[in-house]
Amino acid sequence: MTEEQHHEAAAKLGRLWATIGFEPFQDGVHILDCHLQRPQDLLTERQEEFTALCRSWREHRRS
């Protein structure tokens, strides 16, 4: 893996963590303040979005 690929993968992973409430700290470490965030609610929202996306894709393929 090249350095550029590593940075791109780390950025994508950081964006994924952010979708469920984690915030960047330093050197690729992300933290979650459990007193301020609702990670289970955020994760549930992402799962619902994923389910809707899968449903849409299946319906599109049937057309």
Side-chain angles (χ1 to χ4, degrees), residues 3-61:
E3 188 71 23
E4 183 179 331
Q5 290 170 321
H6 174 77
H7 286 296
E8 183 179 330
K12 286 181 181 180
L13 185 56
R15 289 190 298 272
L16 174 65
W17 282 118
T19 65
I20 56 172
F22 285 80
E23 295 185 21
F25 179 63
Q26 65 184 32
D27 299 326
V29 174
H30 287 71
I31 59 173
L32 177 66
D33 185 340
C34 294
H35 295 285
L36 300 176
Q37 298 290 330
R38 298 183 338 255
Q40 190 61 41
D41 294 338
L42 294 169
L43 179 58
T44 298
E45 289 174 12
R46 298 298 80 75
Q47 288 171 329
E48 290 170 357
E49 290 171 0
F50 179 71
T51 300
L53 181 61
C54 290
R55 186 180 313 111
S56 175
W57 182 80
R58 282 192 305 269
E59 291 172 2
H60 175 74
R61 298 239 335 155

